[in-house]
Amino acid sequence: MRARLSDIAQQADVSEATVSRVLNDRPGVAPETRQAVLTALDVLGYERPARLRKRSAGLVGLVVPELDNPIFPAFAQIIESALAPTGFTPVLCTQTPGGVREDEYVEMLLDRQVSGIVFVSGLHADTAADHDRYRTLIARPLPIVMINGYAPGIPAPFVSCDDREAAELAVAHLVALGHRRIGLITGPDRFVPVQRKVSGYKTAMRRLAEVGDDELAELTELSLFGVEGGEAAAGRLIERGATGIVCGSDLMALGAIRAARQRGLSVPADLSVVGYDDSPLMAFTDPPLTTMRQPVTAMAVAAVRALVDEINGHGAPHSEYLFRPELVVRGSTAVARQDGTPAQGDSKGRRPAPPALPVPA
C-alpha cells in the first residue's frame, strides 16, 4: 500500500498524506488537488474506492412528456451535454399515453438514488394537478428543477420561455403583414404555458388589431396538442374567415397547413401560419415554417446549472427565470390578400378551381 501511495503521490505531485485523505474521502483537500489525485488513480490503472466511484457517477432524472414532439428530444440532448462535464449522467424517462406515469417514474428514480430530477413540461405545468408531490420530493431533500410551467408555492428553480411575449410577437408579425382575422390554436387551458399564450394573444389582438372580446372568442381554438389537434382547430378557424393563425406548437402549425391544403388553400398566399418552438427540421418543411423559437440551449444550460448548484448545496434562487423567444420568419407567412377578404371555399371548405384557360385549336 505504501508503494501505491507513493506512486500516486508522485503522479499527482502531492504528499502521501494528501493521497490518503482523498482516498478516505476526508475534508481539508482543495477540489483541484482532489481531482489531481483521482486522475492519477485513473492514469496508473488503480480502481477508485467505491465511495469515490459513486460520487463521480451520479445520476440525474430527466422526465419529459414524450419524444414525438422534436422539441423534447432537443431539450434532452442539451441537458445531457450540459450535465456531462459535471460528472452526472441523465436517466431519461419518457411518458406515453397509457404508459408509465410521472409519479411512477419518480419512484423508479428514487430507487436508483438519483441526485436530482429535471422535469420538462410535467405536471407542474398543469394547474389541475396536485403539486404536493413536488413539495414531498423537496422535503426528502431532493433537488428538482422545472422547465416550462410555473407553480407558485413550490420552493424550486423554474426555467420557462416567455409564452406571453411569444404570442404577442407572433400577432404583431401577422398584423404587420396586413392580417386582422388572426386565430389562435393551442392546447387545453389548464396548462400554464397555454394560459400565458392566450393572455398574450388577446392583449396583442386588442391593442394591434382592435378586436373585441366576442371576436376573440370566435378566433380562439383550444385543442389537443399535436398535428391532428392543430388540423381540426385550423379547419374551424378557416371556416370563420381567419387569414392568419398563431399556433401553440410547431406540430399544431403543421396540422394547420394540412387543413389549409385539404381545402385547396395555399400557405402562405391564402393563409399565414406561425408555429412555436422552432423544433428541429422546421426550416425544411414545405413551406419552411415561420415560428417562435424557444431558446432551448440557454434554458437547458440554466436548468442544469441550477440543479447542480442545488445538489452541491449552493441553493439556486427559488424563482422563475423567463427566457425571451425569438421570431424566426420563413416561408409560411406572407402579406395578407389585397382585397382583405378570407379565401372562400365550397360547402366542404375547398377553394373553387380557377377557370380553365382556352386552348387554341
Side-chain angles (χ1 to χ4, degrees):
M1 185 63 185
R2 291 279 307 170
R4 294 179 62 185
L5 284 177
S6 175
D7 293 341
I8 297 166
Q10 183 178 2
Q11 178 69 30
D13 195 22
V14 298
S15 68
E16 292 183 25
T18 298
V19 173
S20 178
R21 283 197 296 271
V22 172
L23 295 182
N24 289 286
D25 200 22
R26 292 174 181 167
V29 181
E32 58 271 18
T33 303
R34 184 179 298 275
Q35 186 57 51
V37 173
L38 294 177
T39 300
L41 279 172
D42 297 336
V43 170
L44 295 174
Y46 294 140
E47 186 176 349
R48 294 187 183 190
R51 54 181 167 273
L52 299 181
R53 290 201 304 272
K54 181 178 181 181
R55 175 177 296 176
S56 66
L59 299 178
V60 167
L62 174 56
V63 182
V64 299
E66 56 171 304
L67 293 181
D68 291 339
N69 186 335
I71 197 63
F72 296 124
F75 268 114
Q77 181 178 6
I78 300 300
I79 289 171
E80 180 180 16
S81 298
L83 278 172
T86 71
F88 290 100
T89 302
V91 178
L92 181 61
C93 301
T94 305
Q95 301 174 69
T96 55
V100 180
R101 296 178 295 109
E102 180 177 305
D103 290 340
E104 294 171 326
Y105 271 130
V106 168
E107 289 300 320
M108 294 166 57
L109 292 171
L110 293 177
D111 288 341
R112 295 194 179 192
Q113 298 182 332
V114 294
S115 300
I117 303 177
V118 178
F119 295 92
V120 182
S121 300
L123 291 174
H124 65 278
D126 189 344
T127 59
D130 182 1
H131 293 153
D132 283 342
R133 52 173 51 88
Y134 301 113
R135 297 184 187 93
T136 300
L137 290 176
I138 294 169
R140 288 181 66 92
L142 182 75
I144 61 174
V145 174
M146 323 287 202
I147 295 179
N148 280 338
Y150 177 65
I154 298 178
F158 291 83
V159 175
S160 301
C161 185
D162 193 334
D163 295 290
R164 286 192 186 90
E165 183 176 4
E168 291 185 23
L169 288 172
V171 169
H173 171 62
L174 292 176
V175 169
L177 293 174
H179 296 274
R180 183 183 174 279
R181 293 283 290 177
I182 301 169
L184 173 69
I185 298 172
T186 189
D189 63 358
R190 70 178 188 272
F191 295 106
V192 172
V194 169
Q195 295 172 359
R196 292 176 171 179
K197 287 185 179 75
V198 171
S199 175
Y201 162 78
K202 290 184 176 180
T203 298
M205 288 291 286
R206 292 188 185 104
R207 185 179 73 249
L208 302 176
E210 299 180 350
V211 174
D213 290 343
D214 290 342
E215 191 173 358
L216 282 175
E218 186 182 49
L219 291 171
T220 303
E221 280 287 338
L222 303 182
S223 185
L224 297 176
F225 288 114
V227 175
E228 293 75 13
E231 179 181 353
R236 294 188 289 270
L237 290 175
I238 291 171
E239 297 299 327
R240 296 170 196 158
T243 65
I245 298 179
V246 175
C247 299
S249 73
D250 289 338
L251 294 185
M252 284 184 149
L254 296 181
I257 293 173
R258 178 194 288 178
R261 287 180 171 163
Q262 286 179 343
R263 288 160 175 78
L265 304 180
S266 171
V267 175
D270 299 312
L271 181 72
S272 286
V273 177
V274 180
Y276 179 89
D277 283 334
D278 194 30
S279 45
L281 303 181
M282 290 305 109
F284 306 101
T285 57
D286 180 23
L289 187 66
T290 294
T291 187
M292 298 305 307
R293 174 181 293 161
Q294 281 199 75
V296 172
T297 299
M299 293 171 63
V301 169
V304 168
R305 286 176 178 170
L307 185 71
V308 172
D309 283 348
E310 290 273 311
I311 293 172
N312 292 332
H314 304 309
H318 296 160
S319 57
E320 184 179 28
Y321 302 86
L322 284 177
F323 287 74
R324 297 195 63 184
E326 177 187 354
L327 173 66
V328 181
V329 179
R330 298 195 182 103
S332 65
T333 54
V335 175
R337 290 163 39 129
Q338 293 299 316
D339 57 12
T341 60
Q344 300 297 320
D346 60 16
S347 60
K348 295 184 179 180
R350 292 189 295 264
R351 193 177 181 189
L357 295 175
V359 179

